[in-house]
Amino acid sequence: MDFVPELPNLRQDVERGCPFCAELLERLSKEIWPKNVAVIIGPAVYVLESSRGTNPKPEQNGVWAFSIAVEPLGAEPVRFYFEVFADLAPCGTSGICVRQRPPCADRCSLESVEILQQWISECSERHPQCQTSDEMFCPKRLIDVGPVDGSVEPRLVEVARKPSRYAALSHCWGAPRPGVHMLRTLTSSINSFRQAIPYQSMPRNFQDAVRITRALNIPYIWIDSLCIIQDSKDDWAKEGSMMDKIYNSAWVSLAATSASTSEDGFLQSTLENHLITIPSVIGAGKQYEDFKVKTPDRLYVRFVTEGLHHARTSEVNASAWNKRAWTLQERYFARRTIHFGATRMFWECREGFASECSPRISKDMFAEPWTPVQANDDPPAGYIYREPSSESKTITDIDTNNDVTWGLSNSHLLHENSDTLVARTKLYEWWFQNLTDYSRRQLTYSSDKLPGISGLAKELCSTYKRITGHDEQYVAGIWIG
């Protein structure tokens, strides 16, 4: 029992050195309470994957979060939710464990790179949908990143034949303003860049991209402003028209998802600074008392502020990166993407999603935790998460509301559909959904409006011809049937 708004008993716990109490006090102090009203705080209740109305296997079930109810006498309780993380611990089929582990503080550390390499290896070896459609394509220019130790500066190279692998950077340039540095290849600088592009001269996004590419043992990276001659209309028109192939052929796409300008960088994580360490002796809650909660000696928790959204929704779909027009088709055509979010790294490919906190690549809802929309919300019975309409949609998504981005050319719905009229209708539904998304996005230069979606137009044209045997004309954003 305590009393709002002063909360004297909770303040005493804070003075005794309880870090979680300090966090809870800070959150309660931001609420508007009636004066001198008694409140009951707690108990803490674990939130399990199985509480979402789905049926995970025993080894997949686990604790994602816990909630604390603060109930003023005579009023509805207010719930506060905290994500839960724990260091790796053995989990048997007879118990419940905390399945999220804390993110790596250093995204270039051996531990972090090992997670990324495992994702890439699993995807490249086991995911047939994630293979490139053009094994021979290669961009005209790439950046040779040099050795891991940085003893040789990166340099611009012209490639005669496709290398074994290259990465591609997907990022926001940011509006030109003081303090935002954009390094570009110009006709006046291309020769010097062939000799070296000094690492220290690069904006932070480029430095981070070079660092992580080296750490992944990938010899080359494609960066738009460096691999296209920016003051050459001919070069820009030729290379810019091949964005679909450039991202589709890349071994992996590196998305600077947390960066809104080229100087922000993306290898830093903010989650570690917001984690609170507590003993793992929280009551499992009455409705879960049949479970034996198995955790290590310590838990790490974070107050949830994003609302009832998948962590990926707030950090990827709602990011400045995903509001950029060009990233719509960059994300669509990339076979596999590593998103460097604000709090954690995410994996996205055509066969699933994952995060470094829960690294199993999965199409189901257990790959990531849910978080509440409002402080007093519980997950509804039968709750199954669906992404909002901010992601690019494919023909498969239209029919199944599938969360995974599948290519039109791989859609079994079109392969099996013998009704040409129905197939054409589905194709145009796919196009207009993507066009609606694209129209909401931001462009630095209005002249990029048509080039920024040309790859998706080519995707529709090739699929249309395969299905109908006829060409569909696309002229300056207009379809001529």
Side-chain angles (χ1 to χ4, degrees), residues 207-367:
Q207 291 181 352
D208 286 355
V210 167
R211 282 185 63 201
I212 199 67
T213 302
R214 288 170 171 171
L216 291 171
N217 198 30
I218 298 175
Y220 301 98
I221 187 170
W222 187 88
I223 301 176
D224 51 3
S225 69
L226 295 180
C227 294
I228 300 176
I229 303 174
Q230 296 297 307
D231 59 350
S232 169
K233 291 183 178 180
D234 291 341
D235 193 69
W236 202 99
K238 181 180 179 181
E239 299 301 309
S241 66
M242 295 189 292
M243 291 289 193
D244 53 333
K245 292 184 176 181
I246 289 171
Y247 282 91
N248 181 257
S249 297
W251 187 242
V252 65
S253 176
L254 307 177
T257 316
S258 61
S260 57
T261 76
S262 60
E263 284 293 351
D264 291 344
F266 56 84
L267 290 183
Q268 64 282 1
S269 170
T270 61
L271 181 55
E272 185 185 28
N273 297 331
H274 294 86
L275 290 180
I276 304 162
T277 303
I278 61 174
S280 59
V281 293
I282 304 169
K286 192 170 183 179
Q287 62 267 50
Y288 304 131
E289 60 188 9
D290 292 338
F291 293 102
K292 178 184 177 184
V293 178
K294 299 173 63 176
T295 69
D297 294 334
R298 296 176 299 172
L299 296 178
Y300 308 94
V301 301
R302 179 183 76 108
F303 177 69
V304 170
T305 60
E306 295 89 351
L308 181 58
H309 297 304
H310 203 282
R312 189 177 65 253
T313 298
S314 59
E315 295 199 31
V316 178
N317 294 347
S319 66
W321 171 86
N322 203 46
K323 293 180 175 67
R324 177 176 170 253
W326 280 100
T327 60
L328 178 66
Q329 65 177 14
E330 291 172 7
R331 186 178 186 183
Y332 179 89
F333 286 107
R335 293 181 284 162
R336 51 189 75 100
T337 301
I338 300 169
H339 292 281
F340 295 87
T343 69
R344 67 202 80 181
M345 296 183 294
F346 299 90
W347 173 264
E348 177 179 9
C349 70
R350 295 170 184 172
E351 298 207 16
F353 298 95
S355 85
E356 64 175 307
C357 301
S358 181
R360 182 173 62 90
I361 298 176
S362 175
K363 295 177 187 176
D364 64 28
M365 296 304 104
F366 306 119

Side-chain angles (χ1 to χ4, degrees), residues 67 78 100 107 131 224 271 283 288-289 325 340 356 385 437 448 460:
S67 69
V78 178
Q100 285 200 116
R107 291 178 171 177
Q131 306 309 309
D224 51 3
L271 181 55
Y288 304 131
E289 60 188 9
F340 295 87
E356 64 175 307
Y385 175 79
D437 185 357
D448 289 349
L460 190 147

Side-chain angles (χ1 to χ4, degrees), residues 55 98 102 110 191 200 248 251 256 280 303 322 357 361 404 409 419 427 443 457 470:
N55 297 302
V98 176
L110 292 177
N191 287 333
Q200 293 302 326
N248 181 257
W251 187 242
S280 59
F303 177 69
N322 203 46
C357 301
I361 298 176
V404 181
S409 58
D419 189 329
L427 283 170
L443 279 167
H470 302 290

